[in-house]
Structures are given as structure tokens and as C-alpha cells.
């Protein structure tokens, strides 16, 4: 390192310190700040001074080891002087000279901790920068210009985008993508107007077109009827609403200190990662009876979202997206629009990720946090059996929601983490945006004689069948790290004697999973409750303290196990897996997913069949949707919602919201209507 470098590093470091000072002290799980991202960039670029065109594919917090965090937490909570924070570290994946490198940087000593060249199969996430450059290549490629001329299209109205191409048994793979194009002329809904039959293969490392196909000409579907912008739509509009207000006198009912949130009986931390998007950590709930916070979820996030399309023909067979590992679910997050994406009482948090060149990119209003009151009932009872008296007790349900939207190309995913005072954590997903559409010649189903792999949803437009598999990483720490996974099966019992007129009943038969093999579960095969319990702690009544998974929509993969996309997405082979906690087992589909071969998925890790009883365990849960498009999904899809819950099960001694009172009504100041 030369003197100039040192000076640069020093000044950046000072910048970082002053930033940290004038804001709050960073929580050890806080996402990297813009100054930290800049610091990483400088340190990495100085470490590889001769590297040309170094690109940053991933920069994120290298979070402290779990014991360090827990130690820090307990020291922070105690009255004694807080222990120093664990050192801030960053993990980066960069590429130059066609090689990926992993680098761990210590942000407090501004030094490189370790470096490694990546040798295995698969590539890091695509950057927005390289996708933008690749998408422009066709415009200076003669055969593509010919294709446009042949179709009579105005070049300035053509938009192209990059698509990952998976792996289909090839021996050697390059970092290739396919570039497909759309005709935006007169509409914002470019996905509705594909130039079907045309695709360029781009080598991202050489940044040039290495293959080109113009297989057939079908008409570009017409622009009419594809618009979704209110400003471009013509009356009549409807259905109509009256004005609706959401208001809280005295402001929000939660407190937010940087990324740490406290609300009602919950405390948790909201993190961000360029690949995973939102990360919820250290969720603990205050127990009114025990008079202390109790740990529930150490960490939860979506390590992968697999979206395989079901058209096996040349133009579509490779369309099997891994939205996290290939495209970056975090970098795809959209700025939320106040009032439309989140209610009026929402607060917002920005996010920052490292762009291709390592400089921080801001996503303004990336998260919103709000108290949700939708007029639902938390609990109630009416009692009419007591003579001369009718008793009714009812409590209204209020919860706290952390929301993001990630827009990965055509689709928009709404991800909610909802905390309820009764101890439930409800995880919601909403699917909206624009379908994956294919242009064809048909305008009526009567004309169709063969399989078109989708639904004819408009003239010349087919919505291709596909799935959405959301995999969740759920490191539950129920009252501590040592937990077990319990399957409580509901089994029918035939009555053998004649003491009762009943011939049958059902009862609960519980088994504790000993090893990983015992915890691979496909939901729906038999009725059961799936629990994570702390086998070392019991309620006064003697039940094991636990939380159970209340699954959402169940979908099993319909591809064959030996089909290439399914080999790469083998983590969807079961709805539930349980593994012992291992800091490096984080990305369920492998560290490097673009063009991966499935040799680093949870299906491989769990072959070791490790012990999981009374250990720090991680629950991996996949919720899926098979999507047969319908005409209502066009030109833009009304949100399709699903979700699952983590629900306390013998965690509390009794109903934890027995003594909760409904929120008091807000008294509006006197106001006269302007209408
Ligand atoms: C670096 O990128 C520039 C601009 O894209 C390009 O002209 C140059 O050839 C690249 N250099 C190397 C060594 O790849
Ligand atoms: C740690 O302690 C400080 C000072 O008491 C407090 O402001 C902060 O919220 C605590 N953080 C956590 C995560 O408990
Ligand atoms: C192509 O579109 C541009 C505007 O995007 C317009 O200015 C131009 O006149 C169009 N060319 C033709 C041949 O229609
Ligand atoms: C593009 O849109 C304009 C404006 O509606 C229309 O006049 C023109 O015919 C369109 N061009 C093509 C080639 O579809
Ligand atoms: C953690 O997981 C990685 C990847 O599966 C593995 O190589 C490593 O041996 C594991 N560590 C332990 C302590 O099991
Ligand atoms: C609201 O109206 C009542 C009755 O007209 C009046 O007594 C009161 O002072 C008003 N309050 C405010 C805050 O204007
Ligand atoms: Cu869909």
C-alpha cells in the first residue's frame, strides 16, 4: 500500500466515523452504510490495483458469529457497561479477468481479512450495470437490425432485457445470458409485446453477442388494451371509493432506532441485503407474566425464489428464474409509494447496495413499517347462558407490518412480515405485476389444436404456465438456541372395546426428529402440526415450549427430479427441511446460482444427515404457487396473496393478550368538510 492509498483510506475512514457519530451507533446487524460500501470499494480496488473493469457482484455485511451477537446482546441488556461491539466486516464478490473472487474486509481496521478465488460451478448475481450494457448490444448488431426491418418496427421503440439461461447438462459453461426484446411503441407494458422468435446470446464476460436466433415471425401483439397507467386509460373509471383515513393521534405507536424496532410486546431488527432483500433478526416478545423479553426468531429471510416457466420450446425452455441468486431480490427492491404501497401512518427506511462499480446506490423508501388495523377481531366471546345477563367481551386486532416490494423484471412481489401481539409472526407474500407473456397467432381458443403451454389471455398473447416457490430461512431460537423439531401427527384410532358407541377418534402422536432425514417433509400427505420446541424448557403444565409453523399454500414441484431446473432447485423437493445452524449454509440453492448445477443446495448439504435434536436448528420452509394465468391477470395482475404463520404453541402459560385493551378511538379535531 503506498502513501496516497493510506491517505485515501484514512479520509474515507474519518468520513465513516463522522457518519456513524452524527447518526446513531450501528447495530452489529445493520446493513452496510453508504460510507461503508465506499470503504469496501476503495479497499478492494486498492488490493487489486492492476485489475481492469473490476465489477462488484455482491457486497454485504459479513455478520458477526452468532455467539458474538448473543454475547453483545446480553451485555447490552445488562446494567453493566456495554461490551464493545463485534468488529464490522463486509463480504464482497467481485469479478475481473473472467474470475470471481471472494473478499472479506474488516471495516474497523480497513484491512483485507481473507480472499479466495471461486472455483466451483455457478456464477454470482448479475449486476444491473452489466445487464444494461448487454441489453444494448443487439442495437448495433446487424442481424438484429435486419430482424426489426423485416417486422417493420421502429428501432427507437424497441426495449431489450437480459434473461438467465440456467444449466442443461453442458460440460463447460460461460457466463452467458439471452437478450430478448419487446416493442414498447405506444404502451408502457412492454412485456405484453414480445418480439417472439428473436433472441441474442450474450457472453457477459466478453460483453458481446455470441449467438443469435430469429426463428420465426409472429405479429407483435397490439398495443391497444395493454396500458395500466391511469393517465393513459380512458373513462369510465371504477369501482369508486369514498375517502378513507388511517390516523393515529400522537403519531406512530412503535419506536425505530436506526434499524431496530420496538412495538407493543415485540422487539426486532430490520436488515437489508442486496441478494436476500429484507432480513428480520432478533425478534423477541415481552412476556407479561414472566416480565421479560423471550427470544423467538434469530433470523428470517428469503434465500431463494424459484420461478420455472413451463414452455419447453426453444424460446422459453431456459426460463427458470432464481430471483435471489441470479437477479438479487434486494437490489430489485422498489421505492414504495406512500399511500398506495403503504397506509398513511407508515414510516419508511431507505436501503443502499453496491452498484457494479462498487458505489452505493440508494433505494429510497425501500421498507415501510406501519401499524395495521383492519377492523379484525383479536378475540371475543358473547355469553348468553348466565340468567339475566349478556356478557360480550371483544378486542380489536392491531399488528405491526414491515413491508417491501421487489420488482424482478415483469413481476412485483410484496413481502410482509407482520407481528401480532398474540405472539404470531405472519409472513405474507403478494404476487402482482405483469405475466410472462408469449406472442402467438391465436385469437380464440377454438383455433388451438396443440399444447400452447399457457392460457390465451388476449389476442396473440399467451400467459405461460409457471410456479413461484418462496423458500424461507427461519432460524427460530425458542427461548434459547437449543431447539428440536417435532412432528405431531394427527392419527385416527379405531375403538377396540364396547365402552363407547364411537368407533373412532383422532389423537396426537408426536415424534422428535433426530437427524436431518427425519425432517424432510412434504406437506399435505398427512395432517400434522410442525413445531420447533425448546426441549429444555416446559410450561408449568409440563408442555414443551414451542412455536409451530402454520403453512401457507402448498405446492410441490411438478417437474421431474432429473430435469435440470429441478436439479438446480432441489431445495423445493420438500416443503420443510431442518438443518443444524451453520453460518455458511445460508443460500438454499447454493452460493453461486447463475448457471449452477445443484451441487451446493440444501439437498446436498443435508445428505450428511446431521443430528438436529436439542441443537441450534434452522427451519427451511417453501411456500409455492402454481400459476395458471387467467384473463384477469392481464394486462396487469391483481395481487394474489398467500402467507404462513409462526404461532406460539405452549410458549405462554395462557392467552398472552388476555389483558390487552382495544386501542382507544381517535378524537378528530373539529373540522369542516371542504366538499
Ligand atoms: C473495460 O471496459 C471498457 C469499457 O466497457 C472496455 O472498453 C475495455 O476494453 C475493458 N477492458 C478490459 C481489459 O476488459
Ligand atoms: C443497547 O443499549 C443501548 C443503550 O442502553 C440502547 O439504546 C439500545 O437500544 C440497545 N440495543 C439493543 C439492541 O438492545
Ligand atoms: C420512431 O419513433 C420515434 C420516437 O420514438 C419517432 O420520432 C420517429 O418518427 C419514429 N420513426 C418512424 C419511422 O415512425
Ligand atoms: C407506433 O405508435 C404510433 C402512435 O400510436 C403509431 O402511429 C404507429 O403506427 C406505431 N408504429 C408501429 C410500427 O406500430
Ligand atoms: C458448514 O457448512 C459448510 C457447507 O455445507 C460445510 O462445508 C462445513 O463443513 C459446515 N461446518 C460445520 C461445522 O459443519
Ligand atoms: C369543537 O367544537 C366544540 C363544539 O362546537 C367546541 O366547544 C370546541 O371548542 C371545538 N374544539 C376545537 C379544538 O376546536
Ligand atoms: Cu405467476
Amino acid at each position: 500500500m503506498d502513501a496516497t492509498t493510506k491517505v485515501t483510506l484514512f479520509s474515507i475512514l474519518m468520513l465513516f466515523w463522522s457518519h456513524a457519530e452524527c447518526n446513531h451507533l450501528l447495530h452489529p446487524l445493520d446493513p452496510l452504510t453508504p460510507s461503508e460500501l465506499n470503504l469496501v470499494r476503495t479497499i478492494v480496488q486498492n488490493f487489486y490495483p492492476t485489475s481492469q473493469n473490476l465489477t462488484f457482484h455482491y457486497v454485504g455485511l459479513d455478520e458477526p458469529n452468532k455467539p458474538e451477537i448473543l454475547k453483545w446482546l446480553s451485555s447490552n441488556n445488562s446494567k453493566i457497561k456495554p461490551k464493545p461491539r463485534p468488529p464490522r466486516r463486509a463480504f464482497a464478490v467481485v469479478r475481473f479477468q473472467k474470475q470471481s473472487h471472494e473478499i472479506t474486509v474488516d471495516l474497523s481496521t480497513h484491512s483485507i481479512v481473507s480472499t479466495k478465488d471461486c472455483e466451483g460451478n455457478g456464477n454470482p448475481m448479475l449486476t444491473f450495470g452489466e445487464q444494461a450494457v448487454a441489453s444494448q448490444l443487439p442495437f448495433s448488431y446487424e442481424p438484429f437490425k435486419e430482424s426489426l426491418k423485416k417486422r417493420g418496427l421502429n428501432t427507437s421503440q424497441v426495449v431489450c432485457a437480459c434473461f438467465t439461461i440456467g444449466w442443461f447438462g453442458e460440460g463447460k459453461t460461460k457466463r452467458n445470458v439471452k437478450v430478448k426484446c419487446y416493442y414498447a411503441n405506444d404502451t408502457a407494458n412492454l412485456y405484453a409485446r414480445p418480439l417472439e422468435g428473436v433472441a441474442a446470446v450474450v457472453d457477459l464476460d466478453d460483453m458481446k453477442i455470441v449467438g443469435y436466433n430469429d426463428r420465426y415471425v409472429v405479429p407483435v401483439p397490439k398495443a391497444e388494451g395493454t396500458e395500466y397507467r391511469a393517465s393513459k386509460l380512458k373513462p369510465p373509471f371504477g369501482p369508486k371509493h369514498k375517502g378513507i383515513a388511517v390516523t393515529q393521534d400522537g403519531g406512530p405507536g412503535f419506536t425505530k432506532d436506526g434499524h431496530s424496532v420496538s412495538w407493543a410486546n415485540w422487539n426486532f431488527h430490520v436488515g437489508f441485503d442486496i441478494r436476500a432483500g429484507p432480513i428480520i433478526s432478533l425478534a423477541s416478545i415481552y412476556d407479561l407474566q414472566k416480565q421479560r423479553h423471550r427470544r423467538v426468531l434469530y433470523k428470517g429471510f428469503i434465500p431463494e425464489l424459484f420461478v420455472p416457466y413451463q414452455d419447453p420450446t426453444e424460446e422459453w425452455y431456459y426460463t427458470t428464474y432464481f430471483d435471489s441468486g441470479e437477479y438479487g431480490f434486494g437490489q430489485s427492491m422498489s421505492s414504495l409509494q406512500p399511500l398506495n404501497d403503504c397506509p398513511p401512518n407508515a414510516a419508511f427506511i431507505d436501503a443502499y447496495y453496491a452498484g457494479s462499480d462498487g458505489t452505493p446506490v440508494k433505494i429510497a423508501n425501500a421498507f415501510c413499517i406501519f401499524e395495521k388495523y383492519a377492523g379484525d377481531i383479536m378475540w371475543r366471546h358473547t355469553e348468553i347462558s348466565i340468567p339475566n345477563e349478556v356478557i360480550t367481551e371483544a378486542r380489536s386486532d392491531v399488528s405491526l407490518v414491515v413491508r417491501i416490494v421487489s420488482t424482478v423484471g415483469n413481476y412485483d412481489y410484496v413481502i410482509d412480515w407482520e407481528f401480532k401481539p398474540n405472539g404470531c409472526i405472519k409472513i405474507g407474500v403478494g404476487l402482482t405485476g405483469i405475466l410472462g407473456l408469449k406472442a402467438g397467432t391465436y385469437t380464440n381458443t377454438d383455433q388451438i389444436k396443440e399444447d400452447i403451454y399457457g392460457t390465451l389471455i388476449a389476442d396473440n398473447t399467451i400467459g405461460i404456465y409457471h410456479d413461484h416457490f418462496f423458500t424461507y430461512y427461519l432460524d427460530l431460537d425458542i427461548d434459547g438456541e437449543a431447539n428440536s423439531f417435532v412432528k405431531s401427527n394427527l392419527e385416527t384410532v379405531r375403538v377396540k372395546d364396547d365402552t363407547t358407541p364411537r368407533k373412532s377418534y383422532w389423537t396426537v402422536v408426536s415424534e422428535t426428529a433426530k437427524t436431518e432425514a427425519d425432517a424432510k417433509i412434504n406437506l399435505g400427505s398427512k395432517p400434522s402440526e410442525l413445531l420447533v420446541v425448546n426441549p429444555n424448557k416446559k410450561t408449568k403444565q409440563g408442555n414443551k415450549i414451542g412455536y409451530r409453523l402454520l403453512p401457507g399454500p402448498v405446492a410441490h414441484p411438478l417437474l421431474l427430479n432429473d430435469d435440470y431446473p429441478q436439479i438446480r432447485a432441489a431445495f423445493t423437493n420438500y416443503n420443510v427441511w431442518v438443518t443444524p445452524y451453520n453460518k455458511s449454509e445460508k443460500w438454499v440453492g447454493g452460493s453461486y446460482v447463475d448457471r449452477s448445477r445443484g451441487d451446493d443446495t440444501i439437498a446436498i448439504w443435508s445428505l450428511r444427515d446431521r443430528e438436529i435434536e436439542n441443537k441450534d436448528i434452522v427451519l427451511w420452509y417453501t411456500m409455492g404457487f402454481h400459476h395458471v394465468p387467467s384473463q384477469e391477470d392481464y394486462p396487469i395482475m391483481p395481487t394474489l396473496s398467500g402467507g404462513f404463520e409462526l404461532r406460539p404453541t405452549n410458549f405462554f402459560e395462557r392467552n398472552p393478550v388476555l389483558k390487552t385493551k382495544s386501542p382507544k378511538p381517535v378524537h378528530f379535531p373539529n373540522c369542516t368538510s371542504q366538499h
Side-chain angles (χ1 to χ4, degrees):
M1 204 184 280
D2 60 40
T4 351
T5 318
K6 271 185 194 150
V7 169
T8 320
L9 282 182
F10 182 71
S11 45
I12 286 174
L13 195 69
M14 291 317 292
L15 197 74
F16 160 58
W17 273 338
S18 55
H19 173 88
E21 255 166 40
C22 63
N23 291 308
H24 59 103
L25 272 174
L26 292 174
H27 184 288
L29 295 179
D30 276 355
L32 298 180
T33 63
S35 19
E36 286 177 317
L37 291 170
N38 275 321
L39 188 57
V40 172
R41 174 169 162 265
T42 309
I43 292 170
V44 170
Q45 282 178 339
N46 286 323
F47 187 72
Y48 298 110
T50 57
S51 64
Q52 291 197 13
N53 297 353
L54 181 143
T55 49
F56 291 80
H57 290 257
Y58 175 90
V59 182
L61 177 74
D62 177 27
E63 64 177 58
N65 290 325
K66 196 164 168 178
E68 283 180 78
I69 295 277
L70 295 176
K71 209 166 90 188
W72 174 77
L73 260 187
S74 60
S75 70
N76 196 46
N77 287 342
S78 71
K79 295 279 182 292
I80 54 169
K81 195 170 170 284
K83 289 204 183 74
R85 277 145 210 276
R88 294 275 289 175
R89 286 183 172 182
F91 177 73
V93 179
V94 301
R95 261 185 93 79
F96 56 89
Q97 289 154 2
K98 305 187 183 185
Q99 172 69 46
S100 300
H101 306 264
E102 296 178 348
I103 302 150
T104 305
V105 175
D106 187 315
L107 292 164
S108 37
T109 60
H110 54 86
S111 58
I112 303 260
V113 177
S114 65
T115 64
K116 192 180 134 202
D117 293 352
C118 307
E119 300 301 346
N121 295 313
N123 307 310
M125 296 185 308
L126 275 55
T127 70
F128 278 158
E130 64 189 357
Q131 289 184 63
V133 177
S135 303
Q136 286 306 311
L137 294 178
F139 295 99
S140 49
Y141 187 70
E142 282 310 319
F144 181 71
K145 292 187 193 169
E146 278 304 309
S147 297
L148 295 187
K149 203 181 284 172
K150 191 161 73 181
R151 289 167 176 79
L153 305 178
N154 184 342
T155 307
S156 68
Q157 294 293 323
V158 174
V159 180
C160 300
C162 280
F163 298 92
T164 52
I165 59 170
W167 170 72
F168 290 86
E170 303 93 331
K172 199 168 147 47
T173 53
K174 295 196 152 190
R175 222 160 61 84
N176 288 357
V177 292
K178 286 197 181 170
V179 174
K180 295 208 287 188
C181 304
Y182 304 88
Y183 197 48
N185 196 29
D186 224 16
T187 182
N189 196 342
L190 54 113
Y191 297 108
R193 309 196 71 200
L195 271 62
E196 207 61 54
V198 177
V201 183
V202 170
D203 179 329
L204 289 177
D205 285 332
D206 290 334
M207 203 43 93
K208 65 171 195 224
I209 293 180
V210 295
Y212 186 74
N213 241 343
D214 182 353
R215 292 210 313 141
Y216 55 82
V217 179
V218 291
V220 173
K222 61 182 188 297
E224 192 199 338
T226 61
E227 243 331 319
Y228 50 84
R229 290 172 293 182
S231 60
K232 304 284 175 182
L233 294 170
K234 295 186 179 69
F237 291 97
K240 296 198 168 85
H241 301 294
K242 290 198 166 179
I244 291 180
V246 178
T247 184
Q248 294 184 284
D249 57 351
F254 61 92
T255 58
K256 187 168 73 64
D257 175 18
H259 288 76
S260 300
V261 178
S262 312
W263 174 78
N265 42 4
W266 282 102
N267 280 347
F268 58 90
H269 181 272
V270 181
F272 167 81
D273 180 77
I274 182 174
R275 178 165 172 180
I279 300 176
I280 301 294
S281 303
L282 305 177
S284 66
I285 187 165
Y286 187 76
D287 186 326
L288 199 61
Q289 261 190 311
K290 294 196 161 65
Q291 301 268 310
R292 60 179 170 83
H293 275 92
R294 297 172 63 195
R295 290 170 52 202
V296 177
L297 182 73
Y298 181 74
K299 185 153 124 169
F301 66 98
I302 301 177
E304 198 51 272
L305 168 49
F306 176 50
V307 189
Y309 283 73
Q310 303 301 325
D311 179 338
T313 61
E314 174 64 25
E315 275 68 33
W316 281 80
Y317 75 90
Y318 54 85
T319 311
T320 55
Y321 305 130
F322 291 73
D323 283 339
S324 161
E326 292 177 342
Y327 292 99
F329 203 62
Q331 78 178 342
S332 302
M333 274 163 59
S334 294
S335 290
L336 297 168
Q337 229 192 22
L339 307 187
N340 289 318
D341 284 328
C342 313
N345 59 334
F348 294 85
I349 303 181
D350 301 332
Y352 298 88
Y353 66 89
S356 300
D357 63 357
T359 56
V361 180
K362 177 177 177 174
I363 307 173
N365 294 354
F367 292 85
C368 72
I369 304 182
F370 58 91
E371 283 167 281
K372 180 173 173 178
Y373 171 62
D376 291 333
I377 300 166
M378 185 164 75
W379 61 257
R380 82 175 310 290
H381 182 61
T382 295
E383 185 52 69
I384 55 163
S385 301
I386 302 171
N388 309 321
E389 196 179 6
V390 176
I391 296 171
T392 294
E393 288 279 323
R395 300 290 181 275
S396 62
D397 201 24
V398 183
S399 57
L400 187 74
V401 176
V402 177
R403 172 172 298 166
I404 67 105
V405 169
S406 184
T407 306
V408 192
N410 52 314
Y411 251 97
D412 296 65
Y413 296 103
V414 185
I415 307 295
D416 282 359
W417 285 83
E418 181 176 355
F419 294 84
K420 288 178 164 280
N422 67 3
C424 284
I425 304 177
K426 207 170 159 181
I427 292 103
V429 302
L431 285 63
T432 176
I434 298 162
L435 290 173
L437 297 170
K438 181 181 186 177
T441 55
Y442 301 119
T443 54
N444 190 288
T445 55
D446 289 346
Q447 304 153 346
I448 305 171
K449 300 280 178 278
E450 78 283 16
D451 196 347
I452 59 166
Y453 318 110
T455 309
L456 184 66
I457 58 170
D459 286 355
N460 309 109
T461 308
I462 299 159
I464 301 294
Y465 304 142
H466 60 276
D467 308 292
H468 305 262
F469 292 103
F470 296 83
T471 300
Y472 282 82
Y473 173 105
L474 300 164
D475 180 1
L476 289 157
D477 280 1
I478 305 301
D479 250 350
E481 293 89 87
N483 286 176
S484 293
F485 179 69
V486 173
K487 284 180 281 185
S488 287
N489 298 321
L490 313 191
E491 293 185 357
T492 303
V493 182
R494 175 172 284 279
V495 176
K496 297 222 172 64
D497 54 41
D498 55 6
T499 57
T500 165
R502 280 276 290 271
K503 289 184 176 163
S504 64
Y505 61 95
W506 65 257
T507 193
V508 177
V509 180
S510 294
E511 40 179 317
T512 300
K514 303 262 183 286
T515 67
E516 290 177 277
D518 299 333
K520 296 178 184 175
I521 291 171
N522 266 324
L523 295 167
S525 49
K526 59 177 164 186
S528 53
E529 293 205 331
L530 303 178
L531 301 118
V532 172
V533 301
N534 186 326
N536 313 301
K537 299 210 171 143
K538 290 187 173 157
T539 59
K540 282 202 192 97
Q541 262 60 50
N543 292 307
K544 280 176 191 157
I545 279 172
Y547 255 73
R548 75 179 185 274
L549 172 74
L550 285 174
V554 175
H556 304 296
L558 295 171
L559 296 179
L560 297 176
N561 270 336
D562 64 346
D563 198 356
Y564 294 104
Q566 195 57 41
I567 291 170
R568 301 176 60 221
F571 53 89
T572 60
N573 288 352
Y574 294 96
N575 299 114
V576 171
W577 312 71
V578 178
T579 58
Y581 175 85
N582 175 330
K583 190 185 170 191
S584 62
E585 289 179 355
K586 185 154 113 175
W587 304 113
V588 74
S591 297
Y592 297 97
V593 169
D594 173 48
R595 313 222 65 191
S596 66
R597 303 183 181 191
D599 47 21
D600 183 25
T601 74
I602 194 172
I604 303 296
W605 312 335
S606 68
L607 288 175
R608 280 175 279 173
D609 201 16
R610 293 161 289 185
E611 291 186 358
I612 54 171
E613 189 180 4
N614 201 6
K615 292 220 168 355
D616 189 1
I617 53 175
V618 177
L619 177 71
W620 307 74
Y621 166 62
T622 297
M623 172 170 61
F625 298 81
H626 298 302
H627 192 169
V628 178
S630 71
Q631 288 189 235
E632 292 83 356
D633 298 343
Y634 176 91
I636 194 156
M637 191 180 144
T639 304
L640 175 68
S641 301
F644 67 97
E645 272 185 55
L646 299 169
R647 189 172 171 95
T649 303
N650 302 317
F651 182 85
F652 294 105
E653 294 292 339
R654 57 180 182 162
N655 179 353
V657 286
L658 176 70
K659 296 205 252 177
T660 303
K661 294 180 176 167
S662 293
K664 58 183 189 313
V666 170
H667 296 291
F668 289 94
N670 299 354
C671 49
T672 48
S673 171
Q674 299 300 309
H675 302 284

